[in-house]
């Protein structure tokens, strides 16, 4: 693979608005919820925006991680992002911990965040409820503030994410507004970029719950790097509903509706056209065809990811260049922030 490293001026970009998002390094493989809910939009938005995408390794530390597995996941995340179409010549693709400004801005934002405001975040409530609040880390509590810093450093117009991140984006906007009001206008307000159709892909076995790396059972989640025949089997054994009709009805028939969403997103066929195509046919035919669509989709993705994983030095190089581009922008924002809150920089 050849790379043309963009010059600093190109990386800073002319007038193209920015887009930014991150994904945690918390699993060996991304799943269909990650891909259809968020990552596919990352790829599309590269066309018209100046893109900054990163692997949120610091966020991954908010719950216990095995260091060896985390190190491996770091590469797996990078390889998968490139395999799905993130182009390092176009996007700054980097790792959160390689840009220390993320944690530096976090501290300033933590100092303007209310304790009660942080406590209201539903992701903290859900994740801490599992083991009890006293077992949850302070890092998990502060998670959304690190996320706000991730975003605000780059002053993006859009942040492509799944529906579950909407509340974190709202907090980010509140903190930006508070900072602007208390000091001086520094941060434009970022907008969540959430697709109505695929913003919440559900678990194949429990179609009212979100498909999730940490909460779904193995049969409820389609992993992008699964053996294609394993994914096909999961689709064929997905829970469907009692009406035996291939019809979209989010509330009445959540199982088949989720499968219709996945089918439509992977093929570009409208849900209404799929309903027509399968009118009078059973769930079995539909699921069999979707299983084939899924196999055709994941096979080349998996091959490409494995190819990229064979050259770690190349991945290191991509991430190093991405971090350089990111730091150029992030360090300028942080310097402004430090200045506005009254921190005096050391003299040279
Ligand atoms: P965890 O279960 O550990 O919280 P996750 O599976 O939710 O992990 P994240 O790394 O938190 O995955 O999410 C990465 C991106 O994928 C985010 O933008 C998130 O909103 C999106 N996403 C995650 N799950 C889904 C889903 N089921 N449907 C749509 N988008 C999703
Ligand atoms: N919390 C996000 C991951 C994330 C993120 C971000 C997303 C960390 N920092 C900044 C968008 C912008 C999640 O997917 N669970």
């Amino acid at each position: 693979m050849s790379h043309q490293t963009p010059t600093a001026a190109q990386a800073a970009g002319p007038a193209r608005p920015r887009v930014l998002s991150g994904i945690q390094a918390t699993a060996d493989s991304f799943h269909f919820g990650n891909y259809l809910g968020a990552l596919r939009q990352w790829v599309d938005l590269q066309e018209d925006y100046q893109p900054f995408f990163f692997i949120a390794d610091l966020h991954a530390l908010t719950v216990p991680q095995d260091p060896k597995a985390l190190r491996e996941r770091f590469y797996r995340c990078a390889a998968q992002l490139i395999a799905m179409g993130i182009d390092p010549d176009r996007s700054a693709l980097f790792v959160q911990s390689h840009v220390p400004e993320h944690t530096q801005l976090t501290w300033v934002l933590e100092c303007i965040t209310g304790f009660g405001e942080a406590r209201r975040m539903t992701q903290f409530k859900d994740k801490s409820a599992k083991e009890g609040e006293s077992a949850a880390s302070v890092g998990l509590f502060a998670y959304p503030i690190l996320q706000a810093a991730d975003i605000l450093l780059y002053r993006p117009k859009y942040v492509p994410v799944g529906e579950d991140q909407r509340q974190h984006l709202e907090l980010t906007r509140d903190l930006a507004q508070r900072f602007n009001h208390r000091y001086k206008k520094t941060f434009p307000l970022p907008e969540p970029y959430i697709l109505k159709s695929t913003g919440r892909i559900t678990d194949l076995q429990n179609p009212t719950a979100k498909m999730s790396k940490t909460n779904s059972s193995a049969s409820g989640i389609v992993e992008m790097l699964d053996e294609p025949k394993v994914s096909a089997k999961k689709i064929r054994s997905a829970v469907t509903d009692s009406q035996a009709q291939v019809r979209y009805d989010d509330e009445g028939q959540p199982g088949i509706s989720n499968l219709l969403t996945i089918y439509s997103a992977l093929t570009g066929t409208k849900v209404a056209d799929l309903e027509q195509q399968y009118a009078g046919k059973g769930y079995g035919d539909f699921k069999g065809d979707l299983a084939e669509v899924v196999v055709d989709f994941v096979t080349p993705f998996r091959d490409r990811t494995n190819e990229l994983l064979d050259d770690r030095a190349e991945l290191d190089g991509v991430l190093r260049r991405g971090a350089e581009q990111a730091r150029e922008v992030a360090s300028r924002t942080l310097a402004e922030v430090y200045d506005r809150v009254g921190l005096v920089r050391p003299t040279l």
Side-chain angles (χ1 to χ4, degrees):
M1 225 174 13
S2 74
H3 284 291
Q4 294 169 320
T5 309
T7 62
Q10 280 168 334
R16 270 197 312 161
R18 296 193 186 124
V19 63
L20 168 131
S21 197
I23 182 152
Q24 297 191 79
T26 44
D28 290 338
S29 170
F30 297 148
H31 58 72
F32 268 41
N34 299 141
Y35 178 67
L36 298 175
L39 301 174
R40 204 162 66 145
Q41 286 62 259
W42 295 19
V43 175
D44 293 345
L45 290 165
Q46 290 180 116
E47 299 289 330
D48 298 319
Y49 294 87
Q50 190 195 351
F52 290 83
F53 298 127
F54 66 93
I55 299 164
D57 56 347
L58 297 173
H59 274 112
L61 292 181
T62 57
V63 293
Q65 299 289 343
D66 169 46
K68 193 160 165 258
L70 186 60
R71 229 167 265 135
E72 179 59 23
R73 285 170 179 175
F74 165 104
Y75 286 107
R76 284 174 163 257
C77 283
Q80 288 178 88
L81 289 172
I82 298 170
M84 69 181 49
I86 297 300
D87 174 1
D89 287 338
R90 226 191 268 186
S91 293
L93 177 61
F94 64 99
V95 180
Q96 191 181 32
S97 66
H98 294 182
V99 182
E101 287 80 2
H102 288 237
T103 43
Q104 292 174 295
L105 180 60
T106 300
W107 181 257
V108 177
L109 295 179
E110 279 175 347
C111 294
I112 63 164
T113 307
F115 207 83
E117 194 173 31
R119 183 183 283 286
R120 280 195 293 279
M121 295 294 113
T122 52
Q123 188 171 356
F124 172 73
K125 286 198 224 165
D126 293 348
K127 293 203 173 182
S128 61
K130 268 199 220 155
E131 309 270 332
E133 199 175 283
S134 52
S137 67
V138 174
L140 187 65
F141 187 66
Y143 177 117
I145 309 164
L146 174 58
Q147 183 166 350
D150 295 337
I151 297 170
L152 296 178
L153 277 175
Y154 300 89
R155 300 171 159 124
K157 179 166 173 59
Y158 289 122
V159 182
V161 284
E163 184 60 50
D164 61 333
Q165 296 301 309
R166 192 181 286 281
Q167 197 189 28
H168 290 166
L169 264 292
E170 273 159 22
L171 175 72
T172 304
R173 289 166 62 90
D174 288 346
L175 294 178
Q177 253 168 329
R178 191 170 307 153
F179 188 96
N180 290 345
H181 182 72
R182 206 170 280 185
Y183 302 101
K184 183 176 174 203
K185 183 152 182 1
T186 306
F187 300 119
L189 301 189
E191 288 173 38
Y193 187 93
I194 301 174
L195 292 194
K196 209 159 176 254
S197 51
T198 52
R200 187 170 181 274
I201 299 294
T202 59
D203 184 306
L204 298 184
Q205 292 301 319
N206 180 12
T208 52
K210 163 187 116 129
M211 184 182 284
S212 147
K213 286 179 212 151
T214 37
N215 287 334
S216 291
S217 66
S219 50
I221 179 171
V222 187
E223 299 199 76
M224 308 275 292
L225 295 178
D226 263 346
E227 277 274 357
K229 60 176 193 276
V230 171
S231 301
K233 186 157 175 248
K234 288 182 185 179
I235 295 284
R236 282 195 302 266
S237 45
V239 164
T240 30
D241 311 280
S242 55
Q243 296 180 27
Q245 272 182 40
V246 179
R247 199 167 47 78
Y248 189 92
D249 169 10
D250 209 4
E251 289 189 0
Q253 304 207 94
I256 193 70
S257 301
N258 189 42
L259 297 181
L260 274 164
T261 300
I262 294 174
Y263 200 143
S264 166
L266 290 180
T267 57
T269 313
K270 289 198 186 101
V271 166
D273 293 342
L274 289 171
E275 285 175 336
Q276 259 194 355
Q277 194 179 321
Y278 288 94
K281 295 190 185 163
Y283 289 148
D285 286 341
F286 176 83
K287 290 201 263 186
D289 290 351
L290 175 56
E292 274 180 38
V293 166
V294 166
V295 168
D296 288 348
F297 173 73
V298 294
T299 304
F301 170 78
R302 195 167 175 260
D303 294 346
R304 180 74 186 122
T305 302
N306 287 329
E307 237 173 70
L308 288 159
L309 280 171
D310 281 342
D311 192 349
R312 307 267 164 139
E314 171 73 19
L315 293 175
D316 283 330
V318 163
L319 297 172
R320 194 182 53 246
R321 283 190 291 278
E324 280 163 13
Q325 293 165 11
R327 282 205 79 179
E328 258 188 61
V329 176
S331 60
R332 266 185 274 130
T333 309
L334 186 74
E336 262 179 55
V337 166
Y338 273 10
D339 185 50
R340 282 171 189 180
V341 301
L343 299 180
V344 179
R345 325 309 304 305
T347 48
L348 289 177

